[in-house]
């Protein structure tokens, strides 16, 4: 039989302990609705009892919605061994489940509570009895369980033995300080499942050593049936185990069942990215910007021939698609993939020219987007000058607040260099004034600039390519275009094309 893994997502409780992260009441409700209504996680933990009035209002808002839509049993709140105080807080908010925070190590019990195991268990029994009378389901957290197993295993076994008799619903075992490795996790979790085969155990992993995913894998192999996650790996210190990574190992490596709708994963993670203000790392598995992007041209070629460079992590599973990066590593196959997506058809010779231009741009620009591609095509195929007689040797542009812009320009005309410096109202105006001085020395007149148009592809990236189209008049009107990630440089390129057109009577 396939084992089913339950997911408790604690983004709204443990995840909000991330430094600098605080969700509004409305944001918490929207995240809860996405988690339960669209992503279909089994349970969510949304608050800690008694923390603040804002925490109460948020929990109540979520529970009002959840109870009205049949999700009330799936909304859980952290509570404390305090008689009926936490329970009344949860009950007033409309809650049906308490995750009772108990001490999972002898050191915590004796040093923090100043109590013996027997005294702590008596307090737990009192709270559990009250919860049962109120109709509230009890799960138990054993805080610092991993250290408890390392330093005081008999204490932990005694605690779980007593909790089993209390008939709590689930026992949740946290690696509170993220200290475990996968071998320790296997050892400690096996002791739990071997000694208590009828208890439902959850594993709650922290990522201090970047081992949380491996530890979840080990816990599930040992027979644990529940895992606690956060979206985007939010959480205290180095964070909690990310839901995205857990989905990957549960479904693809362990071949277990889970009810999560993975097609909604990316959408939900991006919502939390927006609300939290913390960017998802671009290379984060399954949800990062770059993880379904092929950069190498040879990879694109292999995918064209038989998907040779694709693995079982199919992007469509997560509401995403493959993309093929454009830059200095691009080959003709990468260009062809992007052209196909845009519905553009070019001849092999044209693709060769476009590829060369993209490689050239990729040496200067961090990334080239698919939206940049039509601009590159327009520049390369629309207005190339063969064997130019005028070339820029170098130029320097400056801008300062309250001062005129300055430009120093050196160009080569028929093998001879000319250099001038001029001021202007802006960098391009200063450049044109320098060019005018050179042309005055040559005894020539420049065409009149009639129109200056700048186009930027959609997306709003600050390094997006800019195509500048300038209309000139010299007895007739004609246009030249320049392409660059800098608007002024694009205009300069268009101007140099203009010079070659008039010099060669094109």
């Amino acid at each position: 039989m396939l084992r089913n893994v339950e997911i408790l997502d604690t983004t709204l409780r443990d995840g909000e302990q991330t430094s600098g992260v605080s969700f509004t009441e409305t944001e918490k409700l929207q995240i809860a609705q996405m988690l339960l209504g669209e992503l279909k996680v089994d349970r969510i933990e949304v608050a800690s009892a008694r923390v603040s009035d804002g925490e109460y209002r948020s929990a109540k808002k979520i529970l009002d919605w959840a109870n009205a839509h049949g999700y009330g049993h799936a909304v859980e709140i952290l509570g404390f061994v305090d008689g009926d105080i936490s329970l009344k807080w949860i009950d007033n908010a409309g809650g049906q489940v308490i995750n009772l925070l108990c001490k999972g190590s002898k050191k915590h019990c004796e040093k923090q509570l100043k109590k013996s195991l027997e005294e702590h268990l008596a307090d737990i029994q009192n709270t559990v009895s009250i919860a049962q009378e109120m109709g509230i389901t009890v799960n138990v957290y054993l805080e610092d369980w991993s250290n408890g197993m390392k330093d005081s295993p008999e204490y932990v076994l005694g605690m779980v033995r007593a909790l089993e008799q209390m008939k709590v619903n689930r026992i949740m075992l946290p690696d509170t300080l993220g200290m475990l490795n996968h071998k320790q996790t296997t050892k400690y979790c096996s002791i739990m499942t071997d000694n208590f085969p009828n208890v439902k155990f959850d594993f709650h992993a922290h990522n201090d050593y970047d081992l949380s995913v491996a530890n979840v894998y080990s816990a599930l192999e040992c027979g644990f049936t529940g895992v606690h996650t956060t979206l985007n790996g939010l959480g205290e210190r180095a964070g909690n185990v990310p839901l995205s990574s857990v989905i990957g190992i549960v479904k693809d490596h362990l071949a277990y069942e889970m009810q999560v709708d993975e097609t909604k994963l990316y959408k939900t993670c991006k919502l939390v990215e927006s609300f939290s203000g913390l960017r998802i790392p671009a290379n984060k598995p399954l949800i990062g910007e770059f993880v379904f992007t092929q950069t190498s041209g040879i990879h694109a070629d292999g995918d064209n021939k038989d998907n040779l460079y694709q693995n079982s992590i199919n992007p469509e599973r997560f509401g995403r698609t493959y993309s093929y990066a454009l830059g200095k590593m691009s080959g003709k196959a990468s260009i062809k993939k992007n052209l196909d997506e845009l519905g553009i058809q070019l001849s092999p010779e044209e693709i060769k020219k476009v590829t060369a231009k993209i490689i050239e741009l990729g040496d200067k620009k961090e990334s080239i987007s698919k939206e940049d591609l039509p601009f590159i095509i327009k520049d390369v195929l629309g207005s190339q000058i063969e064997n130019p007689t005028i070339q820029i040797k170098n130029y320097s542009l400056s801008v300062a607040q309250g001062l005129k812009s300055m430009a120093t320009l050196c160009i080569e005309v028929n093998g001879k260099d000319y250099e001038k410096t001029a001021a202007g109202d802006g960098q391009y105006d200063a450049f044109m004034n320098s060019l005018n001085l050179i042309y005055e020395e040559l005894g020539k007149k420049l065409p009149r600039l009639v129109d200056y148009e700048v186009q930027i592809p959609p997306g709003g990236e600050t390094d997006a390519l800019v195509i500048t189209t300038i209309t000139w008049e010299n007895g007739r009107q004609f246009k030249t275009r320049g392409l660059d990630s800098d608007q002024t440089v694009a205009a300069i390129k268009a101007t140099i094309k203009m010079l070659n057109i008039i010099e060669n009577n094109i």
Side-chain angles (χ1 to χ4, degrees), residues 78 81 99-105 108 117 120-121 124 139-149 153 155-164 168 170-177 192 196 199 201-202 204 228:
L78 182 77
V81 183
N99 291 339
L100 191 62
L101 189 65
C102 305
K103 296 303 180 183
S105 69
H108 268 224
L117 172 59
H120 188 30
L121 283 171
I124 295 169
N139 301 316
V140 170
Y141 268 117
L142 293 188
E143 186 183 17
D144 201 39
W145 165 81
S146 49
N147 272 318
M149 290 301 295
Y155 169 92
V156 177
L157 292 172
M159 170 69 78
V160 176
R161 200 172 293 118
L163 291 173
E164 186 178 28
V168 299
R170 301 192 77 96
I171 297 179
M172 309 192 297
L173 305 179
D175 182 16
T176 303
L177 300 179
M192 294 290 100
F196 306 102
V199 172
F201 288 113
D202 284 1
H204 181 107
H228 296 189

Side-chain angles (χ1 to χ4, degrees), residues 127-138:
T127 299
V128 170
S129 298
I130 296 170
Q132 290 170 343
E133 290 173 7
M134 295 174 67
I136 293 177
T137 299
V138 179

Side-chain angles (χ1 to χ4, degrees), residues 60-309:
K60 189 173 191 317
K61 183 173 284 191
I62 291 168
L63 282 160
D64 285 347
W65 170 82
N67 288 325
H69 291 83
Y71 295 114
H73 64 286
V75 178
E76 303 176 7
I77 295 174
L78 182 77
F80 307 97
V81 183
D82 55 12
D84 65 356
I85 300 174
S86 291
L87 288 166
K88 285 183 176 178
W89 192 99
I90 292 168
D91 187 56
N92 289 336
Q96 302 178 31
V97 183
I98 183 173
N99 291 339
L100 191 62
L101 189 65
C102 305
K103 296 303 180 183
S105 69
K106 185 177 182 180
K107 187 175 182 179
H108 268 224
C109 186
E110 293 182 349
K111 301 295 184 182
Q112 193 169 33
L113 297 182
K114 310 290 187 186
K115 293 186 177 184
S116 66
L117 172 59
E118 291 71 26
E119 290 172 323
H120 188 30
L121 283 171
D123 293 339
I124 295 169
Q125 177 65 74
N126 179 50
T127 299
V128 170
S129 298
I130 296 170
Q132 290 170 343
E133 290 173 7
M134 295 174 67
I136 293 177
T137 299
V138 179
N139 301 316
V140 170
Y141 268 117
L142 293 188
E143 186 183 17
D144 201 39
W145 165 81
S146 49
N147 272 318
M149 290 301 295
K150 181 169 70 77
D151 301 328
S152 52
E154 287 306 316
Y155 169 92
V156 177
L157 292 172
M159 170 69 78
V160 176
R161 200 172 293 118
L163 291 173
E164 186 178 28
Q165 296 303 311
M166 294 182 202
K167 295 183 168 48
V168 299
N169 184 47
R170 301 192 77 96
I171 297 179
M172 309 192 297
L173 305 179
D175 182 16
T176 303
L177 300 179
M179 53 157 281
L180 294 180
N181 60 45
H182 65 288
K183 291 183 178 180
Q184 292 169 314
T185 303
T186 297
K187 177 182 175 181
Y188 299 153
C189 290
S190 294
I191 293 172
M192 294 290 100
T193 51
D194 289 347
N195 282 276
F196 306 102
N198 297 319
V199 172
K200 292 187 288 186
F201 288 113
D202 284 1
F203 188 67
H204 181 107
H206 283 263
N207 203 34
D208 294 70
Y209 284 98
D210 207 17
L211 290 169
S212 62
V213 179
N215 292 338
V216 165
Y217 190 105
S218 295
L220 290 172
E221 278 198 314
C222 292
F224 279 42
T225 56
V227 176
H228 296 189
T229 66
T230 60
L231 295 168
N232 305 345
L234 294 180
E236 203 167 17
R237 305 184 311 278
N240 294 35
V241 68
L243 174 60
S244 51
S245 298
V246 171
I247 288 174
I249 64 167
V250 167
K251 290 198 169 184
D252 294 4
H253 286 271
L254 293 168
Y256 294 161
E257 291 289 309
M258 59 194 315
Q259 75 165 18
V260 173
D261 182 355
E262 57 191 23
T263 64
K264 303 298 174 58
L265 175 68
Y266 184 65
K267 173 183 176 183
T268 309
C269 289
K270 294 299 284 185
L271 178 74
V272 170
E273 177 187 57
S274 173
F275 289 166
S276 68
L278 296 183
R279 296 293 297 269
I280 299 170
N283 61 346
K284 194 169 188 66
L286 303 190
I287 56 174
E289 179 186 353
F290 296 159
V291 296
F292 295 116
T293 300
Q294 300 281 30
T295 301
S296 169
I298 193 170
H299 290 178
D301 180 64
D303 287 348
N304 269 336
K305 290 172 178 173
D306 194 17
N307 294 330
L308 299 181
Y309 291 92

Side-chain angles (χ1 to χ4, degrees), residues 202-473:
D202 284 1
F203 188 67
H204 181 107
H206 283 263
N207 203 34
D208 294 70
Y209 284 98
D210 207 17
L211 290 169
S212 62
V213 179
N215 292 338
V216 165
Y217 190 105
S218 295
L220 290 172
E221 278 198 314
C222 292
F224 279 42
T225 56
V227 176
H228 296 189
T229 66
T230 60
L231 295 168
N232 305 345
L234 294 180
E236 203 167 17
R237 305 184 311 278
N240 294 35
V241 68
L243 174 60
S244 51
S245 298
V246 171
I247 288 174
I249 64 167
V250 167
K251 290 198 169 184
D252 294 4
H253 286 271
L254 293 168
Y256 294 161
E257 291 289 309
M258 59 194 315
Q259 75 165 18
V260 173
D261 182 355
E262 57 191 23
T263 64
K264 303 298 174 58
L265 175 68
Y266 184 65
K267 173 183 176 183
T268 309
C269 289
K270 294 299 284 185
L271 178 74
V272 170
E273 177 187 57
S274 173
F275 289 166
S276 68
L278 296 183
R279 296 293 297 269
I280 299 170
N283 61 346
K284 194 169 188 66
L286 303 190
I287 56 174
E289 179 186 353
F290 296 159
V291 296
F292 295 116
T293 300
Q294 300 281 30
T295 301
S296 169
I298 193 170
H299 290 178
D301 180 64
D303 287 348
N304 269 336
K305 290 172 178 173
D306 194 17
N307 294 330
L308 299 181
Y309 291 92
Q310 296 180 14
N311 58 25
S312 60
I313 308 176
N314 189 296
E316 283 77 16
R317 287 174 54 186
F318 310 102
R320 306 189 64 186
T321 58
Y322 278 116
S323 63
Y324 295 85
L326 297 170
K328 63 182 179 181
M329 301 295 292
S330 297
K332 288 184 288 185
S334 297
I335 311 300
K336 181 70 166 56
K337 283 280 191 182
N338 283 277
L339 289 171
D340 288 346
E341 287 187 34
L342 292 169
I344 297 173
Q345 292 186 339
L346 298 178
S347 70
E349 186 60 31
E350 289 171 332
I351 291 177
K352 185 178 178 180
K353 290 180 180 179
V354 170
T355 301
K357 185 65 175 180
I358 287 172
I359 292 170
E360 174 196 332
L361 290 167
D363 279 330
K364 301 192 304 178
K365 187 175 183 288
E366 180 181 339
S367 62
I368 298 167
S369 70
K370 181 172 62 180
E371 289 74 19
D372 290 327
L373 197 51
F375 286 23
I376 295 170
I377 294 168
K378 186 186 292 186
D379 179 64
V380 172
L381 305 183
S383 56
Q384 288 293 93
I385 302 296
E386 300 293 337
N387 303 314
T389 57
I390 298 180
Q391 298 184 57
I392 289 182
K393 297 299 292 288
N394 48 59
Y395 59 84
S396 173
L397 307 172
S398 67
V399 61
Q401 185 176 353
L403 299 173
K404 289 273 190 179
S405 293
M406 298 295 296
T408 298
L409 169 65
C410 179
I411 63 172
E412 180 187 296
V413 182
N414 296 319
K416 184 178 179 181
D417 290 352
Y418 298 84
E419 181 178 322
K420 295 293 179 181
T421 298
D425 295 325
Q427 294 179 83
Y428 182 64
D429 186 50
F431 172 87
M432 288 300 294
N433 289 339
S434 299
L435 183 61
N436 268 305
L437 290 176
I438 293 173
Y439 263 60
E440 285 176 8
E441 183 178 330
L442 292 169
K444 297 181 179 183
K445 187 177 180 180
L446 290 172
R448 184 171 68 91
L449 192 155
V450 176
D451 188 42
Y452 181 108
E453 179 186 1
V454 176
Q455 292 176 276
I456 301 173
E461 296 296 331
T462 57
D463 69 343
L465 287 176
V466 174
I467 192 161
T468 303
T469 304
I470 303 178
T471 304
W472 311 92
E473 188 174 295

